[in-house]
Amino acid sequence: MDESEIREALNRHWAASDANDFEVEHEIYRENALLEYPQSGERIRGRRNIQASRAAQPNSKRFKVRRIIGMGDLWVTEFILEYDGRPSHSVSVMEFVDGKVARETQYFADPFEPGPSRARWVEPIG
């Protein structure tokens, strides 16, 4: 798979994630894929288990991709994940093997109020 095909697969993955299309969302993963959420200390093994864990999520969720960068077998997506309307700034690091995701690590950061000490150097992000 070349880089344009990987980018296309990632775009399809994130669009399906936003649409709650669990079948298309998980086509990108190898059968023995590994997903880790370091902040909660969770590891999920296997494409079907990853899919089942996401389908079981009771919250309403939306995905807004900010950017996708990568090359070769390592790709990073910055996105905003909203659970029930509450945003979490997120990063997904995906490692590809033979054109499919073998390992993904997702990091989440809740929003916080800007620090007044740096206000004169800051412009708001839209």
Side-chain angles (χ1 to χ4, degrees):
M1 224 178 181
D2 67 26
E3 291 180 1
S4 66
E5 292 171 312
I6 290 176
R7 184 174 295 279
E8 183 179 316
L10 286 165
N11 286 330
R12 192 170 48 252
H13 165 76
W14 293 114
S17 297
D18 187 53
N20 288 315
D21 184 340
F22 296 107
E23 283 301 317
V24 173
E25 177 183 12
H26 293 86
E27 289 174 352
I28 201 169
Y29 296 98
R30 296 174 61 82
E31 287 301 320
N32 63 346
L34 180 72
L35 171 63
E36 292 185 342
Y37 299 120
Q39 282 128 320
S40 62
E42 296 172 282
R43 176 178 295 135
I44 303 170
R45 293 182 188 275
R47 177 179 178 260
R48 291 290 167 206
N49 290 335
I50 294 168
Q51 182 175 344
S53 72
R54 288 177 173 161
Q57 173 58 255
N59 304 75
S60 168
K61 62 185 189 280
R62 297 302 310 258
F63 292 80
K64 179 182 177 187
V65 173
R66 295 192 65 214
R67 71 179 177 151
I68 297 172
I69 57 174
M71 63 185 311
D73 293 331
L74 184 61
W75 290 79
V76 176
T77 303
E78 291 181 46
F79 61 101
I80 298 171
L81 172 58
E82 285 189 10
Y83 278 123
D84 295 330
R86 183 172 180 217
S88 181
H89 295 263
S90 307
V91 173
S92 166
V93 179
M94 291 182 170
E95 300 170 47
F96 285 77
V97 173
D98 298 327
K100 296 278 188 180
V101 175
R103 182 184 182 109
E104 179 180 19
T105 305
Q106 288 191 352
Y107 300 93
F108 304 93
D110 290 334
F112 56 88
E113 291 299 314
S117 63
R118 61 181 177 264
R120 66 181 169 167
W121 300 287
V122 172
E123 63 182 74
I125 297 173

